Amino acid sequence: MDDQSGPGPLVTSRLGYLLKHAHREMDRLSNEALAPLGIDARELGILLVIASHEPGSQQQVAERLGIDRTSMVAFVDSLESKGLLTRHPHPDDRRRNIVELTDAGHHTTRTASEVTQRAEATLLAALTTDQAQQLRGALQRILAPPG
Amino acid sequence: MDDQSGPGPLVTSRLGYLLKHAHREMDRLSNEALAPLGIDARELGILLVIASHEPGSQQQVAERLGIDRTSMVAFVDSLESKGLLTRHPHPDDRRRNIVELTDAGHHTTRTASEVTQRAEATLLAALTTDQAQQLRGALQRILAPPG
DNA sequence: TATTGTTATACTCTATAACTATA
DNA sequence: TATAGTTATAGAGTATAACAATA
């Protein structure tokens, strides 16, 4: 306790620092909330992408998430072994694995969405409803493609 | 272009997604702006911590940044080889290395702060001055220790 | 010849353990 | 015995290359 713990205001006022640590905290809260469901935040992202689109190949899911197909294999392996999704070959192109949520996968996705929303509320507890809404809106505007 | 690129709104409205990608973009812009100075955002963080406190040991700097002392060695090696800081033994305890910015280190830190501030402005270009200020404030409030 | 999924490999980042020199 | 710095090692995470099946 003999150093004033923390990097100091020159660092903590930087946007990169703030975003990094806010994300780290959000990730920690999400994974804590998801642990009882047997998945982590990364896996929930994959489930949500699958739930959001027509059934597609592993590669399509990977592209939408911005990860490469070789990494996708292990994620699909894991989610399949948990019974949350199924692989089956595309009838017209047997090179492709169509990945689809199982009933359990749909259920877990819904439950996971609820618990992560509560985790978000925990992170934002220090803000008013308006401030929270403005934060979300500002981040969305930042990331929207310029045009 | 045959998939509507992007993971879909179920994912992109999640706070974890927004914070992660906003940070990724900030990091990209910062590193791009810092490249001509020969440092990256991580190294600037270290320089800023050193600039913000009385001269201290490597371990103190590492603790303030939340990284361990073994990783610190390589960072200090790199910054020392660039002439931005110096190591010298503490006169009363020769186990410790006191790290201090050189004149070049102070100059680079000042210049780097300016260019990263412009990088922040680029990230926030879609926001009004008020909105940008509110975003920064909201993030700081989120990360402030509860009390 | 090109593409999908897969496996094997390498590379980065970080954490853990062990060594040295000081205390 | 404990601590600061260092080095060596191992572990996650991710990217690249090569291979099998299919188109």
Side-chain angles (χ1 to χ4, degrees), chain A residues 57-59 69-70 87 95 97:
Chain A
S57 67
Q58 285 185 201
Q59 190 150 323
R69 60 188 178 144
T70 69
R87 286 172 160 112
R95 292 173 303 183
N97 279 346

Side-chain angles (χ1 to χ4, degrees), chain A residues 16-62:
Chain A
Y17 177 91
L18 293 170
L19 290 168
K20 176 179 176 177
H21 284 78
H23 173 252
R24 172 190 296 183
E25 188 63 7
M26 181 73 258
D27 217 43
R28 193 185 64 75
L29 289 167
S30 296
N31 284 322
E32 193 174 285
L34 290 172
L37 302 179
I39 62 172
D40 60 25
R42 194 65 174 279
E43 292 173 315
L44 175 55
I46 295 173
L47 295 177
L48 285 171
V49 165
I50 298 174
S52 302
H53 299 85
E54 293 300 306
S57 67
Q58 285 185 201
Q59 190 150 323
Q60 281 177 313
V61 177

Side-chain angles (χ1 to χ4, degrees), chain B residues 58-59 69-70 87 95 97:
Chain B
Q58 285 185 202
Q59 191 151 323
R69 59 190 180 140
T70 69
R87 286 173 160 112
R95 292 175 303 185
N97 278 347

Side-chain angles (χ1 to χ4, degrees), chain B residues 1 10 36 40 45 48 68 101 129 142:
Chain B
M1 302 293 188
L10 274 186
D40 60 25
L48 285 171
D68 66 64
L101 298 190
T129 306
I142 285 173

Side-chain angles (χ1 to χ4, degrees), chain B residues 6-139:
Chain B
L10 274 186
V11 173
T12 57
S13 63
R14 290 172 69 220
L15 202 52
Y17 177 91
L18 293 169
L19 291 169
K20 176 179 177 178
H21 284 78
H23 172 251
R24 173 190 294 183
E25 187 63 7
M26 181 74 259
D27 218 43
R28 195 186 63 75
L29 289 167
S30 296
N31 284 322
E32 193 173 285
L34 289 172
L37 302 179
I39 63 172
D40 60 25
R42 195 67 175 278
E43 292 174 314
L44 175 55
I46 295 172
L47 294 178
L48 285 171
V49 166
I50 298 174
S52 302
H53 299 83
E54 293 300 305
S57 68
Q58 285 185 202
Q59 191 151 323
Q60 280 177 314
V61 176
E63 280 166 5
R64 289 184 172 119
L65 280 159
I67 65 183
D68 66 64
R69 59 190 180 140
T70 69
S71 307
M72 196 68 199
V73 177
F75 287 123
V76 173
D77 281 348
S78 171
L79 292 168
E80 187 182 38
S81 76
K82 293 171 187 168
L84 301 180
L85 59 76
T86 58
R87 286 173 160 112
H88 58 262
H90 189 291
D92 297 340
D93 183 348
R94 293 198 335 244
R95 292 175 303 185
R96 304 190 190 189
N97 278 347
I98 302 300
V99 291
E100 280 183 288
L101 298 190
T102 62
D103 288 348
H106 280 290
H107 178 261
T108 294
T109 303
R110 275 193 298 273
T111 307
S113 295
E114 289 165 16
V115 304
T116 51
Q117 270 179 322
R118 282 198 289 275
E120 292 189 6
T122 301
L123 184 74
L124 302 179
L127 304 182
T128 66
T129 306
D130 266 6
Q131 289 172 334
Q133 200 52 42
Q134 282 163 8
L135 171 62
R136 208 182 292 267
L139 292 171

